[in-house]
Amino acid sequence: MTMPQPEMLVLKPDAASGFPNSPLPVLLYRQVLDGPEENPAARFEALFDRYQWPPQWRYGLYDFDHFHSTAHEALGVFRGRAHIRLGGPNGSEHDIAAGDVLVLPAGVGHACLDASEDFTMVGAYPPGQSWEVERGDPGEIEAACRRVAAVALPDADPVGGSLLSLWQ
């Protein structure tokens, strides 16, 4: 399977809201899984596993702006659609749908603004990276930026795409 080039979004820090974001681009792969699938969640889990991004959960996307300063994150949408915000409260809005994969560098704010009732994703992280949920605190932005900068680059793209060349 040849992976299409992802859409790339670079989100600048939003110190006023306490969101570090990242100099690394968010990667949005459209329709990684296409067509009707018998078990798309399991297919995403197998794909992420193949590229050493162990899947950790199946769920939706929190409806509040948050970020992870200690891990990069891959989100595989296996059901439904959502209108999301990336970059924190002052970020940009995007639509995602079943079959899409978002790869978020550590520090990038994200939130669900609206979603279909069946919207669900698989979440995966590089080995050795543990995620936590931070909501943005302007008083903690410097410490969050230091944590984000310390997160190691992954050894592989979670879907076998071009992350390694795009995150140099």
Side-chain angles (χ1 to χ4, degrees):
M1 161 169 80
T2 302
M3 194 55 52
Q5 279 297 105
E7 296 173 28
M8 295 189 302
L9 309 161
V10 177
L11 303 163
K12 295 182 180 180
D14 182 358
S17 296
F19 284 78
N21 291 313
S22 177
L24 301 173
V26 170
L27 305 179
L28 175 51
Y29 290 98
R30 299 283 186 184
Q31 296 304 292
V32 171
L33 300 182
D34 57 358
E37 302 290 335
E38 184 153 322
N39 191 342
R43 290 223 22 234
F44 270 129
E45 289 165 343
L47 180 65
F48 292 160
D49 256 338
R50 183 178 323 130
Y51 292 104
Q52 290 84 49
W53 283 60
Q56 294 187 16
W57 52 263
R58 294 180 183 183
Y59 194 66
L61 179 61
Y62 294 139
D63 63 358
F64 56 87
D65 291 291
H66 67 285
F67 65 93
H68 314 294
S69 67
T70 56
H72 305 299
E73 182 174 46
L75 303 171
V77 181
F78 67 87
R79 192 178 306 127
R81 56 118 201 113
H83 186 69
I84 64 170
R85 179 169 49 226
L86 299 173
N90 300 310
S92 57
E93 297 182 15
H94 307 272
D95 291 315
I96 56 176
D100 293 347
V101 172
L102 268 172
V103 184
L104 302 173
V108 171
H110 48 293
C112 183
L113 302 177
D114 184 46
S116 60
E117 281 189 30
D118 61 345
F119 175 68
T120 320
M121 304 180 299
V122 169
Y125 307 84
Q129 295 186 9
S130 298
W131 58 279
E132 62 1 291
V133 175
E134 296 186 48
R135 292 182 174 225
D137 177 348
E140 295 294 320
I141 188 73
E142 288 180 28
C145 286
R146 283 193 299 276
R147 286 190 301 277
V148 167
V151 176
L153 290 176
D155 293 330
D157 184 295
V159 297
S162 51
L163 176 146
L164 297 181
S165 64
L166 297 173
W167 279 17
Q168 292 300 319

